[in-house]
Amino acid sequence: MAATIAVFSGGLKVKAGFLAVQISSLPLRREFPRYLSTSSKRTTVAAISSSLRVSTVYNHQQSNRSSWPRVATFCTAAPDAGTTVSADESEKKNESQKEEENVKETANLLDIKVGRIVKAWQHEEADSLYVEEVDIGEAEPRIICSGLVKYVPLDLLQGASVVVLANLKPRNMRGVKSCGMLLAASDAAHENVELLVPPEGSVPGDRVWFGNEEDLEQLPEPAPPNKVQKKKMWESVQPLLKTDSSGVSMLKEHLMRTSSGLVTSKSLRNANIS
């Protein structure tokens, strides 16, 4: 809004918009020396008002009309709303990317490997459990207990290629020491469960990671089981594991893979992984 200021001998009229920093209330007579001409005063006032929007508060109760009225002025620099929103959005985006990278780094500290079930049988003390001997590229097969009796026929486990989480602390499961976990996809109701399938060409002991093929060279050493348990690494990663609409296993947007390709579920889409 263009400001209009007119200087008269008996007073000052000022029209303008809002200002937010209170300058003060000063007699305007002192601001314009007597030796200035009327035109000079107008020029000076116009120069000031062009950069500031002035709001005037007149003292209508003042009885001495011959004195100059005091004017309370306020000044504000309006924030650039567009810039503020942009900065906020940028900050949120950076935080989201940082959080995602932190989860990915945690997931890649898990020792997830390709395995092959050498032998499987029903647990003698638990109707819901199988016991498997699983080759994960070590000197001896791992003994792992899995609650898959309701979901996977025993004959389908024999010789099956599987994905194993290997750096969990061993657990005693009804008298059997279980040293790992088979990863599987399940629907929301947990009525259908399928073991994850490594890509063709994978062999027992192949590392499974999240990300691009190039990330293999930068993978850290897996964390020891005590650290995995203490830091609750699996608990922080597991809720973010899913299969996508084509059955590919993912950690958020990061693909689950081996050097031979992608880890998948045979038929479960948009499913949880645990």
Side-chain angles (χ1 to χ4, degrees), residues 70-105:
R70 293 179 177 269
V71 181
T73 58
F74 301 89
C75 165
T76 184
D80 187 342
T83 302
T84 303
V85 171
S86 178
D88 289 344
E89 289 177 350
S90 178
E91 184 176 350
K92 288 179 181 178
K93 184 176 180 180
N94 290 337
E95 287 178 358
S96 177
Q97 289 176 344
K98 194 172 184 179
E99 181 180 350
E100 186 170 324
E101 287 305 312
N102 287 340
V103 171
K104 179 186 173 187
E105 289 175 9

Side-chain angles (χ1 to χ4, degrees), residues 104-118:
K104 179 186 173 187
E105 289 175 9
T106 299
N108 283 333
L109 288 171
L110 298 173
D111 190 14
I112 306 177
K113 292 182 176 180
V114 173
R116 183 178 65 85
I117 298 177
V118 178

Side-chain angles (χ1 to χ4, degrees), residues 144-155:
I144 297 176
C145 294
S146 303
L148 297 172
V149 173
K150 288 173 55 178
Y151 310 105
V152 182
L154 184 58
D155 62 313

Side-chain angles (χ1 to χ4, degrees), residues 111-115 136 138 162-166 205-208:
D111 190 14
I112 306 177
K113 292 182 176 180
V114 173
I136 60 170
E138 297 174 337
V162 292
V163 177
V164 179
L165 176 55
D206 281 355
R207 183 88 181 261
V208 177

Side-chain angles (χ1 to χ4, degrees), residues 151-185:
Y151 310 105
V152 182
L154 184 58
D155 62 313
L156 293 182
L157 291 180
Q158 309 294 343
S161 291
V162 292
V163 177
V164 179
L165 176 55
N167 59 342
L168 296 175
K169 286 191 74 172
R171 294 177 58 193
N172 193 311
M173 301 184 74
R174 295 288 189 92
V176 177
K177 191 176 184 180
S178 180
C179 301
M181 181 169 67
L182 305 184
L183 298 186

Side-chain angles (χ1 to χ4, degrees), residues 16 24 27-28 38-39 93-94 96 104 118 123 138 172 178 189 191 202-204 208 216 221 240:
S24 63
L28 294 184
T38 301
S39 61
K93 184 176 180 180
N94 290 337
S96 177
K104 179 186 173 187
V118 178
H123 194 297
E138 297 174 337
N172 193 311
S178 180
E191 294 176 351
S202 297
V203 298
V208 177
L216 177 61
E221 288 296 316
L240 304 176

Side-chain angles (χ1 to χ4, degrees), residues 58-70:
Y58 290 97
N59 184 359
H60 294 289
Q61 304 299 322
Q62 193 166 3
S63 59
N64 187 2
R65 299 272 179 183
S66 62
S67 63
W68 288 79
R70 293 179 177 269

